[in-house]
Each structure stands twice: as structure tokens, then as C-alpha cells.
Amino acid sequence: MGKRSRLRKKEHQNNSKPGGRDNRDNAGWGAGYADIIKENKLFEAYYQELGLVPEGEFDQFMAAMREPLPATIRITGYKSHAKEILHCLKNKYFKEIQEVEIDGQKIEAPQPLSWYPDELAWHTNMSRKILRKSPLLEKFHQFLVSETESGNISRQEAVSMIPPLLMKIEPHHKILDMCAAPGSKTAQLIEMLHSDMDVPFPEGFVIANDVDNKRCYLLVHQAKRLNSPCIMVVNHDASCIPRLQIDTEDGQKGTLFYDRILCDVPCSGDGTMRKNIDVWKKWTTSNSLHLHGLQIRIAVRGVEQLAVGGRMVYSTCSLNPIEDEAVIATLLEKSEGALELADASVDLPGLKWMPGVTKWKLMTKEGQWYKDWSEVPVNRHTQIRPTMFPPTDTEKLANMKLERCMRILPHHQNTGGFFVAVLVKKAPMPWNRRFPKLRKEQSSSSVPQPEDSPVGTPLPETPLEDGERDGGKEAGEDSPKEPEAGDQAKESNVCGPPPNKKMKRHGFKEDPFVFLTEDDPVFPPIESFYDLSPDFPKINVLTRTHEGKKRHLYMVSKELRNVMLNNSERMKVINTGVKVWSRNSDGEEFGCAFRLAQEGIYTLFPYIRSRMITVSVEDIKILLTQENPYLSKLEEDAHQQAKKMGMGSIVLKYRPDNSNPDGPQCPIELCGWRGKTSIRAFVPRNERFHYLRMLGVEVFRDKQGQGPREEEKEVKEEVKEGETENGNKDVSPKQELRGENREFDQHLRRVEGNV
């Protein structure tokens, strides 16, 4: 065993001891790393000297930094049953928590974040250690785990929720999230895009990017919970993310400019000391100096791709002006008036923040201070750059209005530390204003468009400053390429991954995205079986295979389809679309080989005109607690509807009953299967738990397989009863769903171990 391997093994053993990394009693719930001393003299000296904290508050600031971070949860706002989740939390769990005493002390109930709209975000000081001490609190924890997996609740740090709120998202906006993983903010953007649930395909979309291939899959997991056809996950270096082409309304090729961009850049993370305890021992001023250049490059690339009139939110979880105001000042200076800092002071009433600073200085890790670039010795010029200092021109500095930046300090509202600034683009960037050079293949009569014209520009700009980025290799990618012979992108309906050579450099090879044509033979039986409406967008349907039978069918919005078909060689797409149908070969004898997928039911539902059964609350309880009940177990109305329907995939539709205020007050659509004598809900287990809770039925798993809770015993008995009654189990997809449920059970155990 080599020296490095022995060290890793020793480190792993040390981390497994009490107090080590694997024994974080309150990881994510407010504690951790008992063996790390929360002291860093350099950090204290640096921030005390900078004066970012109001006079007389520095001791409070440092005390807050040493305290565990409260856990915060956010209810996903775009789903129509968000209010039901909120009602369940407030009137059941939070009320019960108020009555709980641990070690003679009453538990403090969770409180809503005062600045988050509609009470959809809450924070609590309860640690995992406390959660384990009471069965009632453990139920609350399991509820959070289950609802998080269903996509109805997100565990997210409070300050992380701020940037999406300041972007002012509307359903038609084209959005780029430049450094998106792990995806909490991306989820917020998707929710805002789907603010109107009656619109299955908003005009806008979210392209979520991350440079780390593995983290992209974490991003996919976060996004998939929200079942949106308007999200695409891509894998690129944000500082040189490709400029994309789209087909414009007049049939020409244009450049895609985004209405909104989230630029949450990599940072030193000293605002996260309350949850990332490692930062205490690793923090040094060098971290900011090393990241400053990358942060500028990413931000510059962002504003280049921002549409005129668009908003870009720049944010970090660092309090350091080198990573914050210095980057914003550099952007504003480079823009020559094309960018403006927006005043966001009234956008989040209730949020406490400090205005941005106009004076700061720089300190090396040896403790040497520099107030101006002129003081920096020549031998330091490679580590310290002029852009790290405030502008020396006082008039120019005043015009920047850096005080409009927002710095959130931990002790003001018991949060992490954070920095955010909102930039509005007033004109094309100055280095993009000149017309691009004509290419050989371009007609001499062609008239190039300026950068941000409504129809875009058919060719890339040639920047005056950042020539290596836009005028070099990547600029060549900005114009449509002629695919080589044999390249899969030659098919007009295929968006494949980049060539294999690139794929080997950047990560795993992805399956291609193959769009179906309107006359694809897969459609007639589907259209007939489900009586799809004529306006169903068949060209938005895609698969992930060139050959053989199509196993799953997915859908994306037409705007994302436009992006994918025009950029198959520029983009590395990790995932996109929502699954709407899955192949079920036994269904062919009933007229359709594809069953409905629960993930895509809210996307498909507006187009389906048959195979629907209207059910009541009691019907849903039976369908979700019994594995395969007889048709006769349904109430009379649903029973009669089911009897008239042939075998195969169905939609179970519930509509709120105004005369029953105790029932769910939001519509519910579930996928199901009509068997010979029985009926069932074809819904994954975590979704079942969610809907049962909405109906007032509690389902909880006991920890470590110690036996089911009483509520789950009842459910299991009913499931067993349903299976026994039906004998031969005439529903063919059952095994498939059981497989999904087993996978979910395993994943839930992993989640419970990590949360």
C-alpha cells in the first residue's frame, strides 16, 4: 500500500471515530465537527479591519458564526397543492411540536421566514439529536424526508433562497443558471416558471449548467423531482459556456440571449462557516485572491449572453469584498454604462441586509495590507490584480452605486453570510458593439445584426477585450456547423452528444436525444387510445435511442426543442424533458403499448380526452392503500365509469369538493391501470405517501427495520387484503412498479442516513 493510500485509510479511520466527520450529530440540523475549534485569528483580524460589520456588533457577528445554522425548508411554490402542504405543516406537525418537551424544556416551533412570500419557507433550531429523542419529532423528520423526495419540500439554506426571488421570473423568460449544482436555486427557478399550473408548457425555460460532470447528476436529481418539460441540464465551464443558436420567427438563425441569468459563482465560502465547519481551519485571504479572476470571467460571460433589458443576479456565499464589490465594480467599469446596479431594497420586505461598501483594502495571508494597486510590489503582480481594489476615480465610483449591493450578515436574522447584486443590461456590451467579421461562406450582401437585436445575430461577435474567449475556438462554435458525414447530428430531429473525443475528455457518454416526427408510427395507437386533442405537440416528443423499440417517451417545450436541434455539437446535454409514457408490451393487446407515467401526467393531462375516471377522496384512499382492489370497492360513480372502460392505462382524476372543507382543496391526477376485474393506482411509493398525507392518512416507516408504525401496519394489511382478493393479480405492470418501490425504499434509507 502506497503512502498516499495509507494516509487516506488513516484519515477515514479518524473520521469514523466519535466526533469525526461520520458523527456529525446535527449535520444539516445545526451542529457538527465537534473536534474542530471554531477559531481563526486571521479571519477575525481581517473582517474587523475592513469594518463590514456595524460598530459595536462584531462580537455578536462572531458569536453567530460559531452557532449552528438553523435548518430551513421551502415548500415548492408552483405545485397546486403547495397550500395543502403548508396547511398540513401548520395545523398538524407544528402544532404538535409546540406540545413536546425534551429534557424538561418545550421545543421551539418552526417559524416562517419573514421575507419569503406566502409563508412558503420555514426555519427551525431543532437538531437531529433532538429529533431522535421524541417519536413525534421523528415523525416530523420522516415527513420532511418523504416530502423532499417527492419534490414537495426542499431543504435549502435561507440565504440561498434570495437570488431567485430577486430575478423576478415570469413564465416566458429564458433563464440560464451558470453554476447550478447542487440545484436548490434551480428548483426555485423552475417553480417560478410554472407559476400558472394550467399552462403545461410555459414559453420560457431553464438551462442549468455546471462544470462538474458528477455534480450535474445531482442537479438532474433535484430538477427531476419537479417534473418540468422546461429544464435542461448541461455540462460546461461557465466562464466559456457556448453561445447558442436558435431558429427565429422569420426562419433565420439567431443567437440565444437570456432574459434572466443567475450567476452564483464559486467562492471561498466564508459565509458558510456555520454549516461548513472545515472553513474555520482552511480560511485564508489567499482563497479570495485565487478565485477573483474566475469570478470575473464567469460574470463577464454571463452579461455577454444577457439580453438588453434582462437581469443578472450575481451572488456568493462569501463576505469578502474582493469576491463581491470588486467583481461588480469591474463589471460596471468594463461595461461603460451598458450595465446598471438595480435597487432591490424594496423587493424583499423583511429581509435585513447591509449596503455594499465603496472602500476596502486587501490583505495577504502573511498579514500585509495594501490599499491601492500602486502599493503592490512587482513580485506580487501575478497574485494581486488591479481589479481587486476600489476604482480610484471618485466620480466613477459614485456613479456605480455600489451601495445597492446587499450583504447579509449572520447575526441579523440568524442565517448564513451572503452577498447578492442585481445587474440590469441597458445596452450591448462595448466589446460586442462592432459588427462581426464576414465569413467566407457568408454572402457579401448579408447585413450582420448587432449583439442584442431582437432576432439575434447570425454570427458571433469579435470582442475587443476578451478576444481569446469569443474570438478564438469558441467563437468558431457560435456559427452553425456542417456536420461531418456519418455524424448523428446530420438528422434534423436528433440532438446527440458532442463527438466521442470530446465526451472522453468531459465525462460519461450520454444517450442521444432523438425527436420523433409527426408521422412516427408510434403515435396513431397512442392518439386513438387516449383520444389526444389535435393540438397535442407531437414534435416535442423525444426518446433516448436510435435503434430498437422505444422504451420511454419524453417531452420538452418547443423552445427547448429549438435550442437542442440547433446546438447538438455545441452543448453537452446531460438531461432534459419529463417522462410521459413508458412501454408496457402487454398493453398492446388493449390497443396501446405505452402506459402513462406519473412524472408527466401534469404535462399530458390537458391533451387527454379519454381514459379518465373521476374519483372521490375515499376512492383515492382505497387505490393508494390497496395493491389491486376490485372495481366494486370504488364508490358507485367511479365504479360505473370503470365498468364502461376497457383494460389498460387510465387517469384517476380528483376535483375538490367545496362542500367538504376537510378534503384536499386542489386537483389531483394519478396514473392508474384498469385490469380485468380490478383497478389500481400506478404511483411510486413516495408519491403514495404524499397523497395519503394530503388525505389525512399518516404513513411512516420505522427506523432500521424495527417494525412498522401502527399507521403503516394498517396500510400493509389493506395491501395484503387487496392482493389476496384478486388472486391471480391480473394487472400486468405490477412487477415494474414493485421494482420502482424497492429502489425508492433503498434510496429513502440512504437519504435518511444523510439528512
Side-chain angles (χ1 to χ4, degrees):
M1 184 184 290
K3 182 179 179 183
R4 198 173 291 177
S5 299
R6 287 196 301 271
L7 288 173
R8 278 199 298 265
K9 184 176 180 182
K10 186 177 180 181
E11 183 182 356
H12 176 75
Q13 290 169 346
N14 290 339
N15 288 339
S16 300
K17 294 175 183 177
R21 287 182 60 86
D22 293 336
N23 193 38
R24 292 177 242 170
D25 231 3
N26 300 307
W29 285 92
Y33 300 107
D35 56 334
I36 293 180
I37 299 172
K38 297 177 183 179
E39 293 287 342
N40 189 309
K41 297 300 181 185
L42 189 67
F43 174 87
E44 290 190 48
Y46 182 71
Y47 280 107
Q48 207 157 16
E49 180 68 22
L50 284 182
L52 300 180
V53 180
E55 191 175 349
E57 295 183 17
F58 195 80
D59 288 344
Q60 298 173 44
F61 166 74
M62 289 305 302
M65 291 292 267
R66 294 186 177 98
E67 285 296 312
L69 186 69
T72 45
I73 60 173
R74 181 174 54 77
I75 302 167
T76 56
Y78 84 83
K79 292 190 175 180
S80 56
H81 47 243
K83 290 182 180 178
E84 295 294 320
I85 297 288
L86 179 60
H87 178 80
C88 182
L89 277 172
K90 290 175 68 174
N91 293 281
K92 178 174 175 53
Y93 293 102
F94 293 168
K95 276 189 176 180
E96 291 176 348
I97 287 171
Q98 290 176 348
E99 308 301 321
V100 175
E101 287 191 7
I102 302 290
D103 299 333
Q105 290 189 342
K106 277 200 170 186
I107 296 297
E108 182 183 343
Q111 299 295 320
L113 296 180
S114 60
W115 45 267
Y116 202 96
D118 304 321
E119 289 191 334
L120 290 177
W122 295 70
H123 68 100
T124 173
N125 288 316
M126 288 184 293
S127 69
R128 289 184 68 196
K129 188 174 182 179
I130 290 176
L131 287 168
R132 293 191 188 106
K133 287 190 174 183
S134 164
L136 194 61
L137 294 181
E138 190 182 315
K139 280 185 180 182
F140 173 52
H141 181 232
Q142 289 192 34
F143 168 82
L144 293 179
V145 170
S146 181
E147 291 299 322
T148 298
E149 190 62 31
S150 298
N152 304 302
I153 283 178
S154 288
R155 296 279 305 281
Q156 183 178 357
E157 187 178 347
V159 289
S160 171
M161 304 176 192
I162 295 171
L165 294 176
L166 295 177
M167 292 174 74
K168 298 185 176 179
I169 302 293
E170 296 180 19
H172 64 275
H173 283 155
K174 296 171 178 60
I175 307 162
L176 173 64
D177 190 349
M178 300 189 75
C179 309
S184 296
K185 299 182 188 72
T186 309
Q188 269 182 283
L189 300 176
I190 299 170
E191 293 164 25
M192 294 172 182
L193 204 61
H194 287 271
S195 57
D196 185 353
M197 277 298 289
D198 293 329
V199 179
F201 292 103
E203 289 183 30
F205 55 76
V206 177
I207 294 180
N209 173 70
D210 201 84
V211 68
D212 189 310
N213 185 269
K214 290 181 180 178
R215 282 167 62 86
C216 281
Y217 292 94
L218 181 60
L219 187 54
V220 169
H221 174 72
Q222 283 274 41
K224 270 192 170 182
R225 298 179 312 141
L226 298 168
N227 300 328
S228 169
C230 304
I231 171 71
M232 179 193 296
V233 176
V234 299
N235 179 202
H236 291 281
D237 179 348
S239 66
C240 53
I241 189 168
R243 193 182 297 281
L244 304 181
Q245 296 286 325
I246 53 173
D247 290 327
T248 59
E249 292 181 2
D250 59 2
Q252 302 296 312
K253 297 290 184 186
T255 301
L256 171 62
F257 291 99
Y258 300 94
D259 302 296
R260 298 289 186 268
I261 293 180
L262 176 56
C263 188
D264 186 54
V265 296
C267 65
S268 61
D270 58 22
T272 69
M273 282 179 162
R274 298 183 67 178
K275 64 173 184 178
N276 296 330
I277 316 298
D278 270 343
V279 179
W280 282 97
K281 62 179 183 179
K282 293 179 179 178
W283 188 91
T284 171
T285 54
S286 297
N287 299 342
S288 297
L289 304 183
H290 293 155
L291 286 164
H292 174 80
L294 174 64
Q295 291 162 341
I296 289 177
R297 290 196 300 275
I298 294 175
V300 166
R301 192 59 177 160
V303 295
E304 285 175 350
Q305 301 209 25
L306 186 65
V308 170
R311 291 166 75 93
M312 186 177 90
V313 172
Y314 175 89
S315 61
T316 74
C317 45
S318 168
L319 301 174
N320 199 325
I322 308 300
E323 303 176 66
D324 298 339
E325 284 92 346
V327 175
I328 296 299
T330 302
L331 275 179
L332 293 171
E333 190 166 14
K334 276 177 173 280
S335 76
E336 298 176 8
L339 295 176
E340 178 182 284
L341 260 177
D343 184 358
S345 58
V346 297
D347 291 342
L348 291 179
L351 177 67
K352 295 179 181 177
W353 52 277
M354 297 297 296
V357 295
T358 56
K359 293 181 181 179
W360 63 89
K361 49 188 177 178
L362 183 151
M363 182 176 74
T364 65
K365 63 181 179 181
E366 296 83 17
Q368 176 69 46
W369 286 94
Y370 300 111
K371 294 181 180 179
D372 187 79
W373 169 248
S374 60
E375 300 178 359
V376 181
V378 175
N379 64 340
R380 291 275 193 176
H381 281 189
T382 54
Q383 296 91 29
I384 300 174
R385 304 299 301 152
T387 53
M388 296 176 181
F389 296 94
T392 53
D393 187 325
T394 54
E395 184 179 350
K396 185 184 289 185
L397 183 62
N399 290 334
M400 288 180 177
K401 300 179 180 176
L402 291 178
E403 65 276 1
R404 290 182 174 178
C405 297
M406 306 168 75
R407 180 174 279 102
I408 290 89
L409 299 179
H411 64 293
H412 283 166
Q413 283 181 303
N414 198 11
T415 64
F418 207 70
F419 174 89
V420 62
V422 182
L423 292 159
V424 176
K425 191 170 182 178
K426 298 293 186 180
M429 303 310 292
W431 57 89
N432 292 138
R433 283 177 186 156
R434 76 181 185 190
F435 291 146
K437 294 177 181 178
L438 299 181
R439 295 189 179 274
K440 291 179 182 178
E441 63 269 23
Q442 186 182 19
S443 168
S444 59
S445 61
S446 299
V447 180
Q449 300 286 338
E451 181 207 43
D452 292 292
S453 71
V455 297
T457 176
L459 293 173
E461 303 82 2
T462 305
L464 298 181
E465 296 180 29
D466 297 284
E468 288 185 6
R469 181 173 54 255
D470 272 9
K473 178 182 176 183
E474 189 190 330
E477 294 179 351
D478 284 348
S479 62
K481 292 182 181 178
E482 290 297 325
E484 297 177 4
D487 195 309
Q488 62 186 10
K490 67 184 178 183
E491 302 172 46
S492 61
N493 64 332
V494 176
C495 176
N500 288 338
K501 190 175 179 182
K502 273 190 182 177
M503 291 305 305
K504 288 177 183 175
R505 283 208 317 264
H506 292 295
F508 302 108
K509 183 176 181 179
E510 293 294 324
D511 293 327
F513 297 85
V514 185
F515 283 94
L516 305 187
T517 58
E518 290 189 289
D519 58 356
D520 192 290
V522 78
F523 284 126
I526 290 177
E527 289 179 290
S528 173
F529 191 73
Y530 297 103
D531 189 19
L532 296 183
S533 59
D535 60 339
F536 175 71
K538 289 187 281 188
I539 61 171
N540 292 7
V541 179
L542 60 89
T543 66
R544 298 297 300 270
T545 179
H546 279 290
E547 301 171 356
K549 287 187 175 181
K550 301 169 180 66
R551 187 179 173 195
H552 301 295
L553 301 181
Y554 305 84
M555 289 194 77
V556 295
S557 62
K558 70 174 184 178
E559 288 77 13
L560 269 188
R561 179 181 185 274
N562 185 352
V563 172
M564 293 175 71
L565 291 180
N566 280 288
N567 301 280
S568 62
E569 293 187 11
R570 289 186 192 85
M571 287 190 310
K572 183 184 173 189
V573 180
I574 299 297
N575 197 276
T576 191
V578 60
K579 183 166 69 175
V580 288
W581 281 293
S582 289
R583 178 174 288 278
N584 170 37
S585 298
D586 292 342
E588 288 187 35
E589 62 182 283
F590 311 135
C592 183
F594 287 90
R595 65 166 180 85
L596 297 164
Q598 182 65 30
E599 300 99 302
I601 191 60
Y602 287 100
T603 299
L604 274 186
F605 183 76
Y607 303 102
I608 298 175
R609 299 187 296 186
S610 70
R611 309 293 303 170
M612 279 190 284
I613 297 176
T614 303
V615 292
S616 66
V617 169
E618 294 305 314
D619 290 330
I620 296 180
K621 286 182 180 179
I622 289 170
L623 289 163
L624 294 180
T625 57
Q626 298 186 24
E627 189 69 15
N628 201 11
Y630 280 126
L631 297 176
S632 58
K633 287 211 167 186
L634 300 178
E635 292 188 346
E636 184 61 23
D637 184 29
H639 184 202
Q640 292 303 319
Q641 295 176 63
K643 283 171 64 177
K644 297 175 184 177
M645 194 170 293
M647 295 172 66
S649 187
I650 57 173
V651 180
L652 301 160
K653 178 179 71 173
Y654 165 80
R655 290 297 175 264
D657 181 1
N658 295 330
S659 63
N660 179 19
D662 295 330
Q665 296 303 302
C666 64
I668 297 173
E669 286 99 32
L670 306 176
C671 292
W673 187 271
R674 160 69 156 96
K676 189 183 297 182
T677 60
S678 62
I679 191 169
R680 67 166 297 163
F682 207 79
V683 181
R685 183 164 298 177
N686 58 325
E687 292 284 323
R688 288 182 179 233
F689 288 2
H690 163 67
Y691 287 115
L692 283 170
R693 290 193 189 99
M694 286 180 63
L695 301 174
V697 179
E698 285 190 340
V699 185
F700 289 101
R701 302 163 37 127
D702 200 15
K703 290 189 74 176
Q704 299 175 346
Q706 295 171 356
R709 302 269 184 225
E710 288 304 313
E711 299 91 338
E712 190 177 0
K713 278 185 181 177
E714 294 172 10
V715 172
K716 284 191 172 180
E717 286 170 5
E718 289 179 325
V719 168
K720 187 176 180 182
E721 174 191 349
E723 288 180 342
T724 306
E725 281 185 358
N726 286 302
N728 63 358
K729 305 180 183 69
D730 59 13
V731 178
S732 54
K734 180 180 296 182
Q735 290 303 117
E736 185 180 347
L737 185 62
R738 281 181 174 173
E740 290 178 7
N741 289 341
R742 278 197 300 273
E743 289 175 11
F744 167 70
D745 288 344
Q746 293 165 3
H747 182 70
L748 184 58
R749 283 194 287 273
R750 289 196 298 271
V751 171
E752 286 176 334
N754 293 330
V755 174

